[in-house]
Amino acid sequence: DTHMALTRRQRTRAWRGVQYGIAVAVVLVVALTADWGTIGRAFFDLEVAASLFPDVLTIALRNTVVFTALGFVLALALGLILALMRLSSVAVYRAVAGAYVEFFRGLPALLVVIAIGFGIPLAFDTRLDRTLSITIALGIVGSAYISETIRAGIQAVPPGQVEAARSLGMSPARTMVFIVIPQAFRIVLPPLTNELILLTKDSSLAFLLGTTLTQQELAQFGRAALNEVRSLTPLLVVGLCYLIITIPLSYLARRLERRFGSAGMPKGAEV
């Protein structure tokens, strides 16, 4: 048995060595055959990159952060209401919230942005401010997912906490507001942070609504810059700007997960 176990370990090490060898070979082939001059001009043109500053930070990055923050606040508020409706003893509330969640989780965010940005103005013969349109669209999309995360967090609160609050004479509403919801948010902080990352990337759909220079977010800014230069460097710069937002949030989510645990579920999963 010991001999067989050692043999298995040796085979595992040998197979790992083969994988490393293949990886090194691929890297060497790419390094030796790639036209680095062309790649450098296409993706790493420093003059083009310099021409994007400071607008890429002061306009595009700022607008992306604003759209994401406003959309997340709306999504959080709607998500909390929907979660409470789905946990309600009133069947109508549960049915309405359930239909909302399933409907908007099943639609691409792209369609929601188009519907809010163009459908509502056409249907009601009105004009929505662009920031308001993208905020509503992101809020609707995000709330459908956040509501399920919050619902899972509320259900994860130990029943003993509720029983203790009720034994002290607290009403069901006060128990939910002052006991259950604060503990639920502590539980769901990591998945909520991940939802914020997803909304940051979904904010790129704002380019569908048309824009002026001062309203451009990162995706629209990069797309406009591509029309002015014969280089893909703007895409690299814009991608790095997205990482400036998402990498710290990812790190924060991991820290919160280690500290509080996670009650969240992957996007699109059933709760």
Side-chain angles (χ1 to χ4, degrees), residues 196-263:
L196 182 57
I197 294 172
L198 294 173
L199 280 183
T200 300
K201 293 184 284 187
D202 284 344
S203 69
S204 63
L205 297 174
F207 82 89
L208 295 168
L209 305 182
T211 181
T212 63
L213 175 61
T214 58
Q215 295 176 318
Q216 289 180 349
E217 39 67 51
L218 285 170
Q220 179 64 21
F221 183 89
R223 182 182 180 185
L226 286 177
N227 295 330
E228 299 176 3
V229 297
R230 296 180 60 84
S231 172
L232 296 176
T233 302
L235 293 183
L236 179 64
V237 173
V238 166
L240 291 175
C241 288
Y242 273 113
L243 293 177
I244 289 174
I245 303 174
T246 58
I247 287 179
L249 289 175
S250 297
Y251 176 75
L252 176 62
R254 290 193 297 271
R255 288 291 302 273
L256 292 172
E257 208 167 293
R258 285 197 295 269
R259 182 171 181 181
F260 299 123
S262 175

Side-chain angles (χ1 to χ4, degrees), residues 1-13:
D1 292 341
T2 303
H3 177 72
M4 292 178 63
L6 290 174
T7 301
R8 285 196 293 269
R9 286 197 293 269
Q10 290 172 350
R11 289 176 180 174
T12 300
R13 286 196 295 268

Side-chain angles (χ1 to χ4, degrees), residues 53-64:
F53 291 87
D55 289 348
V56 69
L57 298 179
T58 59
I59 296 176
L61 181 61
R62 181 198 63 193
N63 286 338
T64 296

Side-chain angles (χ1 to χ4, degrees), residues 36-195:
W36 291 106
T38 300
I39 293 175
R41 289 190 297 273
F43 291 99
F44 305 101
D45 191 320
L46 296 182
E47 290 185 5
V48 171
S51 69
L52 302 177
F53 291 87
D55 289 348
V56 69
L57 298 179
T58 59
I59 296 176
L61 181 61
R62 181 198 63 193
N63 286 338
T64 296
V65 171
V66 169
F67 294 155
T68 302
L70 293 175
F72 183 73
V73 169
L74 178 59
L76 193 60
L78 289 176
L80 177 58
I81 294 171
L82 289 167
L84 294 176
M85 289 175 66
R86 295 207 72 180
L87 294 171
S88 172
S89 59
V90 181
V92 174
Y93 291 164
R94 295 199 304 271
V96 171
Y100 177 101
V101 169
E102 295 304 323
F103 181 77
F104 285 108
R105 286 204 308 177
L107 288 179
L110 176 69
L111 292 184
V112 178
V113 172
I114 293 174
I116 299 298
F118 299 105
I120 290 181
L122 286 175
F124 297 97
D125 192 23
T126 185
R127 184 175 182 180
L128 286 179
D129 176 76
R130 183 174 180 274
T131 300
L132 180 60
S133 296
I134 191 61
T135 297
I136 293 174
L138 291 178
I140 288 174
V141 172
S143 65
Y145 295 97
I146 287 176
S147 67
E148 292 296 86
T149 299
I150 295 176
R151 181 165 71 95
I154 291 174
Q155 292 177 323
V157 175
Q161 298 288 324
V162 177
E163 294 170 1
R166 296 303 303 278
S167 68
L168 294 175
M170 297 182 69
S171 67
R174 286 176 60 83
T175 300
M176 179 63 71
V177 172
F178 294 105
I179 303 298
V180 177
I181 291 178
Q183 292 189 63
F185 269 99
R186 185 180 178 212
I187 293 170
V188 302
L189 274 176
L192 284 181
T193 306
N194 289 327
E195 288 295 338

